[in-house]
Each structure stands twice: as C-alpha cells, then as structure tokens.
Amino acid sequence: MRAPAATPARESAANFSRRAQRRLPAALLTMALLAAAGCGRDRGDVITLWHQMRPGDRAVLADRLAEYERRRPGTKVRSVYKETEELRSGLESAVLVGHGPDIVYGPSDPVGIYQEIGALRDLTPWFPASERKAFDARALVDLPAADDPSRDQLVMVGDRFGNHLALVYNKRLIPTPPKTTDELIALAKANTRDDNGDGRPDRYGLVWNYTEPFFVVPFLVGHGAWVFDDASDPRSPTPTLDTDEMVEAYRFVYSLRGEHAVLPASADYEAAAGLFKAGKAAMLIDGDWSWQGFADEARRQRASAASNGSGAIEVAVAPLPVVSSTGLPMGSMVAPKGYSLSVAATGDRADQAANLIRFLTSEATQRVYLDRQKVYPSRVALRDPAAIAADPTLAASVEQINNSRLMPTATAMRAVWDAMRPPYQRLMAGDLDAEDAARAMQAGAEKKIATLTSSIKPDATAPIVSLLGIVLLGGLLAWQWRGLKLFLRDFPENRLAYLLVAPALVLIFATVLFPLVFNVVLSFSNMSLQNFRDWRIVGLHNYVALFTGGESAKFWGVFLKTVVWTVVNVALHVAIGVFLAVLLNGPVRGKGFYRVALIIPWAVPAYITALTWRGMFDPEFGSVNKLLTAAGLGSVNWLTDATNAFTACVVANVWLGFPFMMVIALGGLQGIPQDLYEAARIDRATRWQQFWNITAPMLKPVLLPAITLGTVWTFNNLNVVWLVSNGGEPADQTHILVSYVYKAVFNLYQYGYGAALSMVIFAMLLAFSAAFLRQTKAADGV
C-alpha cells in the first residue's frame, strides 16, 4: 500500500515551523506575482500538461486530447510545449512553491532528478500490478521515494519505448545499408564527393550530431564500452569513461573525420539533419523521433520533383552496423518516454490528471501513435510480430532496440553527459587524442558526480552571517523608522493615492526587491540537488569556494574573458554608432531610409539574430566562409576553434548593439547648437578638430550613461554567447561569466554557489557603474 502523505499534524511543531520558514519567501513571491498579474492559476477542471513532443507527435496529442475532452464534458486540458532545459528548470522552480503542471511528459533520463527534488507523485494507486502487466516492464520507471529510499514509487508510465538512434540512409545513393563498420566506411568514402573541384566535399558519406555525446554512445557499445560499471550500485554508479574499450571507440570515431574524411568539419543536430534532407549526406545517425519527419520530407520532395523533374531523397532506416574489430553491434541507449504526475496535482486534481495519463497510455492512444508516427508502443499487446515485420522502419527499430542498452536514470548520468561533452568536442576538433579525451572525461565525471551528490554543512561563519543579517534588517528598520511613522500617519488621509501606487509597488517588490534579497540569502546557503527543499544558511562557504576553491582558476579565466568581451563590444558599439550618427546627421540623401535600415539589427529579436549569425558562421555551408573563399582568403573554422568562436560571438553582438548607440548619439547631435560649428569653420577648424572639440564634449552627457548601460548589458549578455556558440562550444571555451553561472547552477544544481556567483557579478557591475559615473562626472549636468 502507498504510505499516507505527511501532514502538519503528524510532524513535530519545531519541524513544521522550520519548513514553513523555508517556504515562506517563495510563497510570498508567488502571491505577489499573482497579485501583480491580476489573476491566479485556474484550478478548476483545467489539467495542465507540460511536454517535449516534436511537431508530428504534437498533432497526435492534440487529436487525442480533443477526444478526451469530448468524452468528459466540462474537462479541459492545457498542453504546453517546452524545450528540455526550459521544462526542467521551470518544474524545479514551480515545485518550490507547490505550483506547476499536473502532468509532465518526456524521456526517462531526467526523472531521477525530478524524484530527487520531490517533484513527482506515486502513480501506483492508479496503475496497480494487474494493469502494469500490460506494459513492457522497461517502460515503467520505479524509483526510491524521496522521503523514504527503502520504498519504491512508480514515477513514470511510458507510452513508448525506444528514443534510440539508428542509421537513416538515402536509398538513391545507398541501395543496401552497411552490415559492418568496414562496409560503413567504404560506402561513406564512395559517397563523399567534391563535384565542383574546390577542395571541399559537396556531399558527405556520413553525418551525425557530434557535438553531443549521446550520439557517440553506439560506437562505445559496439566496442564493448559502457558509461558505468555494471557491477556498481545502479543508484550511485561508478563511471567507466577511461577504459581501453573507450579509447578504441574514440579512435575509431575520430578516424571517420581525420583518416577517412567522410564527416563535415562541424555538425550540430540541425546541420546534420539539414544536410541529409538536402541530399548532401548519404547516411545519418538519428533518433526514432525524427524518422517520420524525414519520410514526410521525402514525400514532399517527390511531389515537387514530379513537377520540376529534379531528384528527391528516398529515406530508409536500418540498424546500426556491427563493429568489424569486435563483432559487437552498435547499440544506442534506449529509454521510455512517458507521463509523470506532478506534486502540484493534489486531491481530486490528482485523480483527474491520473485518469488522463491512463487515457494517453491506453491501447487506443498508443495505436494511433503507432500508425501515424511509427513509434514502438509500450503496451505489449500492440507489438504484433507480423505487423512489425511488414513495416521495414518498425522492423529496423525493433532490431536496433534489441541491440541497445537501457539508459540509466541515476542522477549521476547528468554529471556524465556534462563531463563527456567538452573532451568529446575537443577530440572531434582534433585538439585532443583519444587517450587524453578519455582521461579528461573520467576525471571530470568523478569530480562532477562528487559535486552533484555533495551536501555542504554549516561552518563557523554561519551564525555570524545569520546574526549579521538580523542586524542589517534591524538597522534598515531603524533607518526607515521615521518614514514608516510618517506613512502610518499619512495613510488614513491619502488612501486613494496609496491605492493607486500599490500595483507598481507590488510589482517592484515581486520583480526587483524580493529576488535580490532572496538571492543574497541563497548565496550563503547550501541549496543544491541534495538540499533542494531543506536548504540552510552555511556561512561564507560559497564565496570562499568561488575565490579559493578548485574552480577559482577557471572563474578568474572566465572573468578576464568577460572583461575583454565587454571592452571590445562596447568600444565597437560606440565607435560604429557615433560614426553612423555623424554621417546621418549630415546632408545625406535618403536619410529616413538609412535610419530605418540601420535600426533593424536592434529591432529584430536577439535570439533570431544570434541563430542567423550562427548559421552564417557555419564552417562548411555558412555565407561568411563562402565570401572569404570567393575573396581568395580561404575558409575559417569559426565554430570549432575557441578563438574563432569567440570572435564570431563578438561580431554577432556588435551587429546587435551598435544601433542603440547610434540612436543615442544621433539624438545628442541634434541638440548641439549649429552656431558652434559655424564659429569653428570661421576659425578654419578642420572636421576632426570640430569633432574633437565640439561634438565629443557635447555628446559626453548623453553617451556616458549609455556606455554605462551598454557595459552592464554586454557583461550580462547570455543570449548571444549561448546561441552563437551553442552553449559555450567548443568545449566550454567561449563562456563569459553569466553563461558560466548558468551552467554552474542548472547543469549541476548548485543553486547556492550560483547565487554567490551572481552576487559577485552584481557587485562588480555596481562598483564599475558607480566609479565610472563618478570619474567621468556624467551625472553632473542632470
């Protein structure tokens, strides 16, 4: 039987008080935000589902939800698509205040994290043993309860099984798929062609997303390697990333690019898929979530080819080949995708949400997904051997599943992916050999697992910090006591005035004051994966670790890079902006057109511009390299070399930032009296002398505050670095402080450490802004 839920009546008074004190700040913030928004969450019969389904699956989901609502009049389901990291971070934040979705859908690998932080409810009451027999046991995820590790809970019910990689190939180029890696190499070489003779292949034999280590797992399995020691405890497994089998696997992978030259210089997920769809790659390693999309693209191309006579890809799926040197098949990681019940669903809502999960994992719903999306169902009754054999895609998928291994749900898996990614990217870029890459992966995994599973205890400074906080709070009240008395005396006479400003005050409190104070408190705490709900003040540990710990050298290196990033960007923003403003302020024809054209980089959303620049900097097919090649300068590995990638980020950010400075400078120029220039011309001053002695001094009161703002924005500009470099690639070498903080917090759940980092950044920018404005006397004229 399921253990009864804990209630305040069952807890000691002291324990309940401690929990209430910890949750009060977050609860206050939630109430303030709801009040500022003017509405709260509709808790009626609206069931909220967060999911990560791709477009094809989303269409099926919409149809099934419409059917569910038709069968249950008055019940509504609100489905919200979220990217992987957005869903994870959003769920973690919502859980702290008891809000969030009722149901979460996604792969099984993050479920261990969700269970660790207490985000999921036990589904056992709605899926008894008799019902569970209808499912593939691997599609039902049982994990130890967060409050009682000796008791397992059903935390996910999968509606499909697989989520695995296989070989997608173009039958127009490769009629028969390879059975061994020797055949794979031979076919890849035969289909890697330079048709125009410019020394760069126009078509590649093989592509895959080799920025993510998940896509290299089949090569590891085929060489007899695995990410964890099978003999270790599955709940806290030991990583095995530095073995002879691993080294051989990485040598083979790199040989495909180095020795055999059948891979492009760089390929993230979208680039690899785009090459295959365009017929510029004969074979692709991709997952079962993408196969139906490739088939749809092939049909679209055939319809277009029928009208214009052009060729079209012909898509087929096959199991990955056997590694010739070991005789072992290349096996992917396999995992279920399914539904979990959030702790936000309580009482009747939990029953409603669980009933929806039962409907979405029913035989009828899974049959629709099987027919329309060709996914492998979790219900055993739908796995008809004759039907599977009759469908080549399903048959290949099942064969690949049988050759693969179950993805671990242990929280250590997160640390392993994070540790593998940088050395793997450096290996593929040719910066590391296989031995050094494997060694770096193992050391990184051990270190990150230790960080992920660590729990910091309060030190001798904890009472001092707590006492200092109380003293500061008391001092603030004493400082404002006179104003508070005046407010209490004035309130009865001016209630309407205070009522009118109340919404603005609540909004400022919810979005500025509370987050700042709460972040200061967190920076002295041990909030992390191990102390997600029961965090405590631990003293100065996070700040000491930041400046003197094992990561301190990396912190200072990133800080120096951030200073260079900020100085270069702001200098170019001001120089280009002022130059263009001076030109536009002169007698230029079509001035209105130029003003509109030059403001476009600032008007377009930053993430669109950043992704566009990333595409333009693609080493193989980007327009920047095409222009450089046409000019006879040769191509540049923009995204696979750290210095070049950082330069690409700077170029993209300069493009985004100069229009702001241009607009500010143009406004300042139009306020300069023309009499000054006339007098200078009478005195025969040159253009440069006019600019240096009139324009620059007169622009100073306008530009200096703008430079201060630009410095703060640039120092904290996460979007450009994250999107252009794809999260700090290559190998986390393009990070600035704000992106470094993001990875420190969300990849390893070190919230207290991340809060300390953010407070250091805040202090740096505050000190710079105050010193800069005081030194330049920018505010003297205000």
Side-chain angles (χ1 to χ4, degrees):
M1 292 180 60
R2 185 174 55 155
T7 64
R10 295 190 181 98
E11 299 174 344
S12 68
N15 187 39
F16 178 70
S17 175
R18 284 195 298 271
R19 292 191 178 190
Q21 290 172 10
R22 285 194 301 267
R23 296 181 184 179
L24 180 61
L28 287 174
L29 175 59
T30 300
M31 289 188 290
L33 287 173
L34 293 177
C39 62
R41 178 185 172 189
D42 182 6
R43 300 293 297 183
D45 287 331
V46 178
I47 303 170
T48 304
L49 164 65
W50 286 3
H51 65 85
Q52 300 168 257
M53 293 187 182
R54 293 186 175 266
D57 286 343
R58 275 181 246 166
V60 178
L61 176 66
D63 292 344
R64 297 308 294 167
L65 292 181
E67 175 65 17
Y68 184 79
E69 292 175 350
R70 186 187 66 78
R71 295 184 184 185
R72 293 174 176 261
T75 298
K76 298 294 182 183
V77 181
R78 179 171 171 261
S79 65
V80 181
Y81 170 77
K82 289 182 176 289
E83 294 288 350
T84 302
E85 294 304 312
E86 181 188 8
L87 189 151
R88 180 174 60 87
S89 59
L91 182 63
E92 291 164 5
S93 301
V95 163
L96 280 175
V97 292
H99 283 260
D102 301 299
I103 303 172
V104 177
Y105 178 86
S108 64
D109 50 298
V111 171
I113 298 290
Y114 299 157
Q115 180 70 349
E116 188 86 26
I117 64 175
L120 305 180
R121 287 175 60 92
D122 187 8
L123 280 164
T124 302
W126 298 279
F127 288 87
S130 58
E131 177 127 2
R132 294 174 65 159
K133 291 179 181 178
F135 291 87
D136 184 333
R138 298 171 296 178
L140 304 173
V141 179
D142 292 279
L143 292 175
D147 57 348
D148 183 7
S150 65
R151 178 171 55 89
D152 283 347
Q153 292 180 330
L154 176 63
V155 295
M156 194 183 88
V157 176
D159 69 331
R160 65 191 66 187
F161 188 75
N163 201 38
H164 55 291
L165 302 171
L167 186 69
V168 185
Y169 64 100
N170 186 348
K171 293 183 69 174
R172 290 174 60 89
L173 303 174
I174 299 178
T176 304
K179 299 296 183 183
T180 67
T181 53
D182 286 344
E183 294 180 15
L184 177 78
I185 293 172
L187 287 170
K189 284 184 174 181
N191 284 277
T192 302
R193 301 182 54 172
D194 177 13
D195 294 327
N196 58 14
D198 63 354
R200 298 170 56 193
D202 299 293
R203 188 175 74 207
Y204 292 94
L206 177 65
V207 293
W208 75 81
N209 174 20
Y210 55 78
T211 64
E212 287 297 328
F214 176 77
F215 286 79
V216 81
V217 169
F219 297 95
L220 308 183
V221 174
H223 283 81
W226 187 239
V227 293
F228 290 124
D229 184 356
D230 291 327
S232 60
D233 183 355
R235 296 179 181 179
S236 56
T238 302
T240 53
L241 304 179
D242 186 14
T243 63
D244 293 339
E245 293 82 5
M246 279 282 186
V247 172
E248 286 302 316
Y250 284 121
R251 281 180 183 152
F252 177 82
V253 169
Y254 182 70
S255 72
L256 294 174
R257 183 185 169 191
E259 177 185 347
H260 304 298
V262 297
L263 299 178
S266 68
D268 57 17
Y269 185 83
E270 297 300 332
L275 287 172
F276 183 78
K277 289 179 180 179
K280 295 182 178 180
M283 293 177 286
L284 167 72
I285 298 175
D286 210 337
D288 60 350
W289 57 84
S290 67
W291 302 341
Q292 191 60 39
F294 290 129
D296 293 341
E297 174 65 18
R299 283 193 292 271
R300 187 196 66 78
Q301 290 186 15
R302 283 197 296 271
S304 176
S307 60
N308 59 30
S310 62
I313 62 172
E314 187 175 347
V315 178
V317 178
L320 292 163
V322 172
V323 175
S324 300
S325 62
T326 64
L328 297 175
M330 293 172 61
S332 173
M333 281 185 174
V334 290
K337 275 188 174 181
Y339 300 89
S340 299
L341 186 63
S342 165
V343 292
T346 58
D348 291 340
R349 291 190 63 79
D351 290 328
Q352 295 176 35
N355 287 331
L356 176 58
I357 293 177
R358 288 170 59 88
F359 174 79
L360 292 174
T361 58
S362 66
E363 189 171 325
T365 299
Q366 289 195 33
R367 187 179 297 278
V368 177
Y369 277 106
L370 174 62
D371 293 340
R372 291 174 57 176
Q373 293 299 106
K374 304 300 182 185
V375 297
Y376 194 49
S378 63
R379 286 189 174 266
V380 179
L382 294 175
R383 297 177 177 178
D384 180 10
I388 290 174
D391 188 318
T393 299
L394 274 178
S397 178
V398 172
E399 184 177 347
Q400 183 64 67
I401 288 174
N402 293 334
N403 292 337
S404 299
R405 298 193 58 171
L406 190 64
M407 177 182 286
T409 55
T411 56
M413 193 69 237
R414 178 82 183 186
V416 166
W417 290 137
D418 207 39
M420 290 179 70
R421 190 173 292 109
Y424 174 52
Q425 292 173 0
R426 294 186 64 190
L427 170 81
M428 297 305 291
D431 295 337
L432 280 181
D433 59 26
E435 291 85 355
D436 290 339
R439 194 176 304 114
M441 289 180 191
Q442 180 68 21
E446 292 173 355
K447 183 177 180 180
K448 291 178 184 297
I449 290 174
T451 301
L452 192 66
T453 57
S454 64
S455 179
I456 303 169
K457 303 300 182 184
D459 59 22
T461 62
I464 299 174
V465 169
S466 300
L467 180 61
L468 184 60
I470 295 173
V471 171
L472 288 175
L473 181 60
L476 178 63
L477 289 175
W479 181 42
Q480 294 295 332
W481 181 248
R482 183 180 178 185
L484 182 61
K485 289 194 298 183
L486 291 174
F487 165 73
L488 294 175
R489 188 183 309 141
D490 188 55
F491 180 76
E493 299 179 5
N494 296 286
R495 291 182 180 179
L496 179 60
Y498 287 111
L499 184 63
L500 291 175
V501 301
L505 292 176
V506 169
L507 190 62
I508 291 173
F509 171 80
T511 59
V512 178
L513 182 61
F514 179 88
L516 177 61
V517 174
F518 195 50
N519 196 76
V520 171
V521 175
L522 282 184
S523 70
F524 297 103
S525 77
N526 63 348
M527 188 180 186
S528 63
L529 179 64
Q530 302 302 316
N531 303 102
F532 192 72
R533 288 173 176 265
D534 58 348
W535 55 271
R536 303 168 60 188
I537 299 298
V538 294
L540 299 174
H541 178 277
N542 294 321
Y543 290 96
V544 173
L546 177 61
F547 291 109
T548 64
E551 294 292 315
S552 59
K554 186 173 183 180
F555 168 78
W556 289 114
V558 175
F559 170 72
L560 291 176
K561 187 177 295 182
T562 307
V563 171
V564 173
W565 157 266
T566 305
V567 170
V568 171
N569 273 287
V570 174
L572 290 174
H573 290 167
V574 174
I576 296 174
V578 171
F579 175 73
L580 292 174
V582 171
L583 290 181
L584 291 176
N585 196 51
V588 178
R589 297 183 62 182
K591 189 179 299 185
F593 169 78
Y594 289 120
R595 286 177 178 174
V596 172
L598 290 172
I599 206 68
I600 287 177
W602 195 39
V604 175
Y607 72 93
I608 293 178
T609 302
L611 291 176
T612 301
W613 275 103
R614 176 171 175 80
M616 292 169 62
F617 279 118
D618 183 271
E620 293 288 332
F621 307 102
S623 58
V624 173
N625 269 355
K626 290 185 181 297
L627 290 174
L628 292 176
T629 303
L633 300 176
S635 61
V636 177
N637 289 329
W638 289 105
L639 304 179
T640 56
D641 176 81
T643 302
N644 293 337
F646 190 74
T647 303
C649 293
V650 170
V651 171
N653 196 59
V654 169
W655 172 260
L656 278 167
F658 79 81
F660 172 73
M661 292 296 178
M662 182 190 73
V663 170
I664 295 296
L666 189 58
L669 287 171
Q670 293 175 351
I672 300 176
Q674 293 300 309
D675 297 348
L676 298 176
Y677 291 105
E678 291 177 4
R681 285 193 291 270
I682 291 174
D683 291 339
R684 297 186 178 184
T686 64
R687 289 288 185 93
W688 173 250
Q689 290 173 328
Q690 292 178 38
F691 175 82
W692 189 251
N693 294 289
I694 299 175
T695 306
M698 297 295 287
L699 281 181
K700 178 182 175 182
V702 176
L703 278 181
L704 289 179
I707 291 173
T708 306
L709 277 176
T711 300
V712 174
W713 290 342
T714 304
F715 200 93
N716 283 328
N717 195 341
L718 172 67
N719 290 341
V720 172
V721 171
W722 196 266
L723 295 174
V724 175
S725 71
N726 196 27
E729 294 176 6
D732 288 340
Q733 296 179 84
T734 53
H735 280 304
I736 59 174
L737 275 179
V738 65
S739 60
Y740 175 70
V741 171
Y742 182 88
K743 294 204 79 169
V745 173
F746 292 107
N747 277 30
L748 294 178
Y749 304 91
Q750 300 299 298
Y751 297 104
Y753 181 75
L757 268 170
S758 64
M759 290 310 303
V760 169
I761 294 175
F762 171 74
M764 288 176 177
L765 291 175
L766 182 63
F768 163 78
S769 300
F772 181 76
L773 292 176
R774 185 184 300 111
Q775 187 69 25
T776 57
K777 301 179 181 180
D780 286 0
V782 179

